[in-house]
Amino acid sequence: MVNKIVLSMASLRVLSGCIEIVAALIMIRLAQVEKALLVNSTLAIVGPLVLLTTTTIGLVGIAEKLSISKMLWLLAGVSCLFIGILKK
């Protein structure tokens, strides 16, 4: 049987992939650069949210197995990822 944490993380990734595919189809249907760019900009919000959510779920799943110092290093790494993604 699949672990509930893993199933949750995988489900979020499948949902994210479906959102990406739907967005691509919308871009094709709109057939205008300006509107496609707007759809693409919306996806820029979805990606980091999915990353944050799946990472949080994974960290909760392994929290009991990690020491506090390792957990702090993981959180610092995730923070660096988001600073790099969101900083202009």
Side-chain angles (χ1 to χ4, degrees), residues 22-66:
V22 168
L25 294 173
I26 289 171
M27 287 180 197
I28 292 169
R29 177 115 168 114
L30 293 174
Q32 293 180 6
V33 175
E34 294 84 9
K35 291 181 180 179
L37 190 58
L38 181 63
V39 172
N40 190 60
S41 298
T42 304
L43 286 176
I45 297 168
V46 174
L49 287 176
V50 171
L51 173 65
L52 180 62
T53 306
T54 55
T55 302
T56 302
I57 292 170
L59 288 174
V60 167
I62 63 169
E64 60 200 27
K65 299 175 187 174
L66 292 179

